[in-house]
Structure formats: structure tokens, C-alpha cells
Amino acid sequence: MIPVRIRGFVSATLLVLAMGPALGASTQEQEAMAATQAACDAFRLRDLAALERLLAPEFTLVSTTAEVQSRAQAIQEVRDGDPQYERFENHGMTARVYGDTAVVQGITSLKGRSGGKPFAVDVRFTDTLVRVDGRWTLVVSHVTRMPS
């Protein structure tokens, strides 16, 4: 039996790879999009080991409220179990690769509970990734809440 976190990563990778050629995305662009979705899966599944691999040491998230969250803060939220995600899925992604840097944009659909209260929101995101030792890691993520 394949562990859930690996199945999630494989599913996300296959989805992106299947969509990539239809969208005209290069292999490198597909890999960058897969890394972005793998990070979403890691947050949803509370997979700390995957987050340690996927988030660069200097990772920051600029939230919908303009707060800047460090990698340590993002990982601590996962440890604390709040928020809890039922859905954390990217779609409508595009990617551009510039050497060992990639910019991925798209929409993330989120659903879950935070502070005991349910939430569901779509955000438009821009992620910046760098390739280190052949592996994409997220350096910066910026999200903007989309109108309902």
C-alpha cells in the first residue's frame, strides 16, 4: 500500500503532467507547478517532512491580510493543527522558468476549519521557486483573496 502523502504527491504530479502538454508547458514548468501543488498537499496532509523539503529556509508567505509569515511560522501552524484543510488545491496554473528560478501563478481553492470555524475561499497566488540540487523549493508565496 502506498502511503497517503506519496499518493497525493503522485496524483498531483500526474495531474500537472497530464495537463502540461495541453497547455504547452515545458517539462521544467510542469515540475515547478507540481512542486507548488505538492506543498499544498503537504499543508493539507500536515506532512512536516514534505514541508521541510519543499519550503526554502528563507520562505515567506504574504497572506490575504498583508501579513508576512516565515517558514517557521507556517510549519508551526501545521504542528499546531490549525488551520485544518479539507481542500487545498491549485488550478488554472501557469509557470515561467528563468534558469533555476520559476514563477507559478494560479488559483488555490481552500476549505477547512480555523479556530474551530469553517472556511472556504479561493485565492489567486504567485509563487516564486528556486531549483537547488535539481529540486524546486518555494521561496515566496503571495496570495490575494478572490471575490466570492
Side-chain angles (χ1 to χ4, degrees):
M1 174 70 66
I2 298 173
V4 172
R5 68 176 174 254
I6 293 173
R7 282 195 313 247
F9 176 75
V10 170
S11 296
T13 301
L14 292 175
L15 174 65
V16 170
L17 292 175
M19 290 174 22
L23 301 174
S26 72
T27 300
Q28 290 179 1
E29 291 165 341
Q30 292 172 38
E31 290 170 355
M33 289 186 284
T36 298
Q37 182 58 51
C40 293
D41 293 340
F43 278 105
R44 182 176 53 80
L45 298 170
R46 296 180 14 202
D47 185 344
L48 294 169
L51 288 172
E52 294 282 346
R53 281 191 317 275
L54 291 162
L55 304 181
E58 62 277 7
F59 172 80
T60 57
L61 166 68
V62 180
S63 74
T64 59
T65 60
E67 290 181 56
V68 178
Q69 185 180 53
S70 70
R71 176 183 192 260
Q73 291 168 317
I75 289 174
Q76 188 60 49
E77 279 188 352
V78 173
R79 280 191 181 102
D80 293 344
D82 192 34
Q84 293 181 335
Y85 298 101
E86 178 182 323
R87 182 176 186 206
F88 201 136
E89 179 183 351
N90 290 341
H91 49 95
M93 287 189 285
T94 60
R96 290 175 181 78
V97 175
Y98 306 95
D100 287 330
T101 303
V103 177
V104 178
Q105 294 180 302
I107 297 170
T108 303
S109 295
L110 301 157
K111 182 178 180 183
R113 297 185 75 74
S114 181
K117 297 179 183 174
F119 67 88
V121 64
D122 287 334
V123 296
R124 189 166 296 281
F125 73 87
T126 301
D127 287 346
T128 303
L129 299 90
V130 295
R131 187 172 32 215
V132 178
D133 298 327
R135 189 177 63 215
W136 289 108
T137 58
L138 278 86
V139 179
V140 176
S141 185
H142 186 278
V143 296
T144 301
R145 183 183 296 261
M146 296 180 65
S148 298

